[in-house]
Amino acid sequence: MPKQPRPASSDADLAELADITAAEARQFSLTIADIASGASPETALSIALLATADVVAIGARLGAISDVILDERYEPDDGEDADLAALRAGLANVFDGLDEYADLVDPVTSAEVTTGCLSTDFAVIVGALDHGLTHYDQGHVTEALWWWQFSYLADWGERASMALRVLLGLLAHVRLDADADLIAEAEFDALHP
């Protein structure tokens, strides 16, 4: 199958994508920090699912455009990355008993099974998005886009996609795994008022 060309992007299109990505990155980071605080554990899975779906969508846009080329050979040093250990620990606490899952090393090239953790996935995603936000906030928009695109393809896109799948699976089990007798009684009551 011949390789399909990816859409070309104008400077205005890239600037708009950078603005949208920055807004989504900020929202995702804030949402994950809120989940990690443990303030609303009863909605953690649902809110994480919604936030992760949004960030997967913006990542897909980054992956679909032509490669972003840096203005300089190296990205500027815009400061140190945030320490995400506390965020990861908070998430591990919120997702206690649900955090770890089975994963494939690379579903394209290997069937080797490994394990993953939602808390680690979210820390990786937040770290990558925040690194790009540092560039963006310093006015280095091209570098921010380059970083978000590169890190999406290299790491956080896969982690976000896997986290989305795991969250969906967890919610499905929570909502659909019920006692068969209780379901039968509820169906009977609903059909025979």
Side-chain angles (χ1 to χ4, degrees), residues 2 8 15 26 29 88 112 140 157 164:
R26 281 186 217 291
S29 294
R88 190 194 173 294
E112 182 183 348
H140 302 131
L164 185 65

Side-chain angles (χ1 to χ4, degrees), residues 98-122:
L98 306 173
D99 195 25
E100 194 170 293
Y101 60 84
D103 194 5
L104 291 176
V105 172
D106 184 334
V108 175
T109 63
S110 170
E112 182 183 348
V113 177
T114 186
T115 57
C117 291
L118 287 171
S119 58
T120 301
D121 292 342
F122 287 132

Side-chain angles (χ1 to χ4, degrees), residues 125-180:
I125 299 163
V126 167
L129 294 175
D130 285 356
H131 183 85
L133 278 172
T134 301
H135 289 312
Y136 181 85
D137 291 342
Q138 293 292 324
H140 302 131
V141 175
T142 302
E143 286 78 10
L145 270 176
W146 175 84
W147 174 257
W148 284 320
Q149 183 184 55
F150 167 76
S151 61
Y152 168 75
L153 295 170
D155 197 23
W156 73 262
E158 180 182 9
R159 299 301 6 123
S161 296
M162 193 61 203
L164 185 65
R165 182 170 183 213
V166 170
L167 290 166
L168 176 60
L170 287 170
L171 277 171
H173 284 294
V174 166
R175 300 232 172 103
L176 300 178
D177 292 353
D179 180 79

Side-chain angles (χ1 to χ4, degrees), residues 9-24 57-66 68 136 141 145 148-149:
S9 300
S10 69
D11 288 344
D13 290 340
L14 289 177
E16 180 183 4
L17 180 58
D19 293 343
I20 292 168
T21 303
E24 289 290 336
I58 196 65
R61 289 184 73 180
L62 293 165
I65 64 170
S66 299
V68 176
Y136 181 85
V141 175
L145 270 176
W148 284 320
Q149 183 184 55

